[in-house]
Each structure stands twice: as structure tokens, then as C-alpha cells.
Amino acid sequence: MASKQSFIFVSKDILNSGLRHISGNIPLYTQTETGWFNRKQTTVLYRAAGDQGGDPTVLGIIDWKKEEIEVYGQRRKISDICFKPGMLLSKTREWTWEPQAKTFLVEWENDTWVMTTKSKAFHEGTFNPYASHWFGKDEAATLELSPNTDPFHVAFMILILCYMEGNRLANRKTAGNVALMSVSGIPMQ
């Protein structure tokens, strides 16, 4: 049985980080461009230039402003490829690039993003976000993907997880600001 594709994000900011393969090299990296008030504009997933040099290859893009994802030059609206199955308060999201393509279920459980096939019969990947600790060593974000995943779906899965984690952190930050404002007596509007 082949081992999983395992990566460690070298920066705590996964939207601006290299992805170090367990072999030690950094074949992939993300770079995010921000605009006014530090709002995310685009996040680009690159494959690093090989040993022969040359330019890095763009594998995919998250356009945060237009709410689109592009993988290998194909662009889709997030609302067309991401669905919330089941109940209203479900934490699960269903991602599919094309109607007949592989469908991924992505769920936040036990402080980890878990990605499975739609039938939940096959585990596709796991993303553990960066975790800081007051006492002890901080834990880098890690990503494990199925060994048989083709390059298109590897890029798609990394972009999905960057999108989901980026939104989770933004929502957490917003909730923290609201709580801080209510405690400090600043009127909320």
C-alpha cells in the first residue's frame, strides 16, 4: 500500500507558505495578495520551479473578491461547486468540480478538516491547522492526502482546504472582535 502524500506548511499563515513534502523539498507554495484593510484579493497555489530553474507554475487560484476558484486554468464560481448538504447548521460542505466528477465532503471535526468521498467510504485527506501553545512547542499546519490522488485533484483539494480554513479564521477573528467590542462597551451597530 502506498503511503499518503504528506506536507507541512512552513509558515503559520497557510495562505503565504511553502508546503514541505515529507521528503524535505518544498514543491508547492501559496501566496496571497491583499488589498485595502488587508482584505484577501487572490491566493495563488504554485508548483516550485524544478532543479533546472525556470518560472514556477500556477496550479490554482482562489479569487476571494469574485468568489471563484481556478484549477489548471479552469475557473468556477464557488457557489457552483460548493454546497451545504443536509441540515441548515451542518458543518459539512460538499465540493465537486464537475457534475460527474469526484465529490468531496469536507467537515470540521475535532479541530481538524477531514475530507472524504461523498459516500464517506474513502478518506481523501486531513488538514490540521497551525496550533499555538502557551507552554510547549507550536504545531505547524499539516496536510495528508490520499496517495492515488491525481495532480488536478491535489491542487483542487489544497485550494478547498485553504478556502475553508481562511474563512474559519476570518470568522473566528470577526467573532473575537465583536466579543471584544461588547466587553469594552463599544456600541455595536
Side-chain angles (χ1 to χ4, degrees):
M1 184 169 98
S3 64
K4 294 184 179 207
Q5 300 180 62
S6 298
F7 300 93
I8 298 171
F9 286 80
V10 298
S11 169
K12 67 181 182 179
D13 177 5
I14 65 161
L15 301 179
N16 289 294
S17 181
L19 282 79
R20 181 183 302 125
H21 191 267
I22 57 169
S23 65
N25 65 339
I26 300 179
L28 305 170
Y29 62 97
T30 58
Q31 186 174 9
T32 300
E33 185 179 306
T34 56
W36 286 81
F37 301 108
N38 208 26
R39 292 203 173 151
K40 299 181 292 276
Q41 300 293 315
T42 57
T43 298
V44 181
L45 174 65
Y46 293 99
R47 180 179 11 196
D51 294 336
Q52 293 80 20
D55 294 330
T57 305
V58 174
L59 301 179
I61 300 169
I62 301 171
D63 189 324
W64 297 92
K65 195 172 182 179
K66 293 181 182 176
E67 295 191 0
E68 296 177 335
I69 290 183
E70 179 180 312
V71 182
Y72 282 87
Q74 300 177 43
R75 188 174 281 255
R76 302 277 191 276
K77 285 232 166 266
I78 291 172
S79 60
D80 293 340
I81 60 175
C82 179
F83 307 96
K84 187 188 244 186
M87 297 184 295
L88 182 64
L89 299 176
S90 173
K91 295 179 187 176
T92 303
R93 297 295 180 272
E94 188 175 300
W95 290 82
T96 187
W97 191 255
E98 293 187 12
Q100 303 304 317
K102 189 185 290 189
T103 298
F104 301 106
L105 292 180
V106 182
E107 188 168 13
W108 177 251
E109 56 184 51
N110 301 323
D111 296 332
T112 300
W113 290 107
V114 177
M115 186 176 283
T116 59
T117 55
K118 187 171 181 173
S119 65
K120 293 195 174 192
F122 189 68
H123 185 82
E124 290 287 341
T126 305
F127 173 73
N128 295 297
Y130 172 83
S132 63
H133 302 287
W134 285 43
F135 304 105
K137 190 175 180 180
D138 293 347
E139 297 174 44
T142 59
L143 174 66
E144 287 188 346
L145 300 175
S146 169
N148 303 325
T149 307
D150 62 274
F152 179 90
H153 284 101
V154 167
F156 184 43
M157 291 164 71
I158 291 171
L159 291 168
I160 289 171
L161 292 167
C162 284
Y163 179 80
M164 299 285 286
E165 179 66 3
N167 281 337
R168 185 187 74 82
L169 293 175
N171 291 339
R172 194 172 84 180
K173 184 177 178 182
T174 301
N177 289 344
V178 169
L180 182 62
M181 287 172 42
S182 65
V183 170
S184 65
I186 298 172
M188 295 184 292
Q189 300 169 359

